[in-house]
Amino acid sequence: MLTIRNATLADGREVDVRIDTSAGRIAGVGSTLTHSGDSIDASGKLLLPGMIDAHVHFREPGFSHKETWETGSRSAAAGGVTTVVDQPNTDPPTVDGESFDRKVDFAAASYVDYGINGGVTADWDPEELFDRPTLALGEVFLADSTGEMGIEEELFREAVAAATDEYRVVTVHAEDADLFSEKATDRAGDDYDAWSAYRTAEAETAAVKRAVEIGAEEDARVHIAHTSTPEGVDAAKAGDATCEVTPHHLFLSRSDYDELGTFGRMNPPLRSEERREAVFERVADGTVDMVATDHAPHTREEKDASVWDAPSGVPGVETALPLLLEEARKENLSYERVRDLTAANPADVFGLTRKGNVEQGLMADLVLVDPDDSREIRGEDLHSKCDWTPFEGMRGVFPELTVVRGNVVYRSESADFEGVDIDGEFGDAVGRNVRE
């Protein structure tokens, strides 16, 4: 047994949390628990359920020079993420049984729990995919992005119908390439804002509307990935779909291109400051279901190119929860809202019934933080293989301790807890497929 004593939960209650480490579950939550075994004094600390990051690209197989399951999951653990959902645009793409099994072999190195999504291409094999423990279908690309997995509407409809038959959520990358601005491609390679001008806000809104229309016709559960505009969020909610927002669309805008250059190129792209503020409002007021990172690392050398040649994507799995906790520290978000955005809601949307809250009987996926310990974000301090961040110089509140199913997988170098015995910052790689 391990007891975390005197911890403050997101709702303000001060409690003891007893963990059955052999079962990996929370054995009790209350103010009068008896202590047995090891214990941690968490006085003045905030205890949250571990973040469920519903959208990461850990790059294996095929692109291990960008990220591996080991480095990506360590970065996740150091950022308070206890479950990740990996997307299918690897090499080979995860579109059949063999490619799924191959990715599972790589995921054995994970320090955190994981889901693996199945993808859709012209030669995908839904029967084999759904015979495997896939978490969801997607992200299904309605326009090309990294991996060139964009598909036409007819195949999208077939995929949605197949996923519905198998009770899978369909995660959609919603951009309509017919509404991209070809005029923008005449702009110079060092005109970084051209990327946002090219992949227009209207392209996102139109694709979201069409995706939810097809979803409704097929009685599917549609989840819109990385919504970057208030119009996209509103279209998703009007169509009874769930949606996620990334930290980069929440905290960065087109006004940051002068500093970021191509390190700020991603799909969908950064939007205007006005739209960013409107998206933040929807995150704060409960309209948006979750924050997910779209963690998509590339090397510095790859990103240091023309705006038309650089790959799209930025890392973010280690900084998402810290950035949100900084907003809570500044009282721009409540801690309960942070809990819901990062844990309770993703667990509900993707059917992870044993995760997402600090409650008796649930998995002991926990994050302990000092809510007042704000520090600058530096790429050199992070654990992703790509060694850079678009949030350089911003502030975050980082975890002191991360626990996955009762196993301490991360302890910050500055934290000194009795009852925690691991060698260095990281414990063992204990990640499991959440569908098994």
Side-chain angles (χ1 to χ4, degrees), residues 302-353:
E302 289 168 332
K303 292 292 277 188
D304 188 16
S306 156
V307 71
W308 304 113
D309 297 321
S312 291
V314 298
V317 72
E318 190 168 342
T319 48
L321 183 59
L323 285 164
L324 292 170
L325 289 173
E326 174 67 8
E327 292 303 302
R329 186 186 71 83
K330 296 188 296 186
E331 301 184 349
N332 294 326
L333 294 173
S334 71
Y335 287 112
E336 289 176 289
R337 185 71 185 125
V338 173
R339 175 202 62 200
D340 292 347
L341 285 165
T342 60
N345 290 350
D348 182 58
V349 169
F350 291 99
L352 304 180
T353 57

Side-chain angles (χ1 to χ4, degrees), residues 22-216:
S22 62
R25 294 181 179 269
I26 298 172
V29 178
S31 56
T32 59
L33 298 183
T34 56
H35 304 155
S36 61
D38 294 326
S39 67
I40 295 171
D41 183 7
S43 299
K45 312 288 187 183
L46 180 69
L47 185 68
L48 295 169
M51 180 173 176
I52 300 168
D53 188 347
H55 193 144
V56 305
H57 301 268
F58 275 0
R59 300 305 193 196
E60 283 186 317
F63 306 101
S64 58
H65 67 286
K66 302 175 189 279
E67 191 78 281
T68 66
W69 274 89
E70 179 181 6
T71 59
S73 66
R74 281 186 173 225
S75 189
V81 176
T82 55
T83 302
V84 296
V85 180
D86 193 64
Q87 305 301 319
N89 54 335
T90 44
D91 185 16
T94 315
V95 295
D96 55 24
E98 182 179 356
S99 57
F100 182 91
D101 295 343
R102 185 176 179 187
K103 182 169 284 189
V104 168
D105 289 340
F106 284 99
S110 182
Y111 283 74
V112 302
D113 283 353
Y114 55 86
I116 296 176
N117 281 3
V120 181
T121 60
D123 56 354
W124 76 309
D125 189 326
E127 184 175 344
E128 287 187 0
L129 267 183
F130 293 134
D131 190 48
R132 265 64 172 183
T134 52
L135 180 64
L137 187 65
E139 60 187 292
V140 181
F141 292 86
L142 298 186
D144 276 339
S145 187
T146 303
E148 298 182 352
M149 291 178 65
I151 62 173
E152 299 298 326
E153 183 176 304
E154 182 179 357
L155 180 54
F156 176 68
R157 184 182 290 276
E158 293 175 6
V160 169
T164 301
D165 290 342
E166 295 292 336
Y167 305 102
R168 299 299 206 281
V169 175
V170 182
T171 298
V172 182
H173 178 125
E175 289 182 284
D176 184 344
D178 289 339
L179 295 178
F180 290 175
S181 173
E182 292 302 322
K183 182 179 178 180
T185 62
D186 293 333
R187 292 163 65 168
D190 59 356
D191 182 354
Y192 309 117
D193 185 70
W195 195 248
S196 291
Y198 172 57
R199 297 180 84 112
T200 64
E202 292 75 20
E204 175 179 271
T205 306
V208 172
K209 289 180 178 179
R210 189 60 183 138
V212 298
E213 285 175 0
I214 293 173

Side-chain angles (χ1 to χ4, degrees), residues 383-400:
H383 298 81
S384 171
K385 193 170 186 178
C386 74
D387 195 33
W388 63 271
T389 173
F391 307 110
E392 187 80 19
M394 298 178 68
R395 301 194 71 84
V397 177
F398 284 81
E400 294 187 339

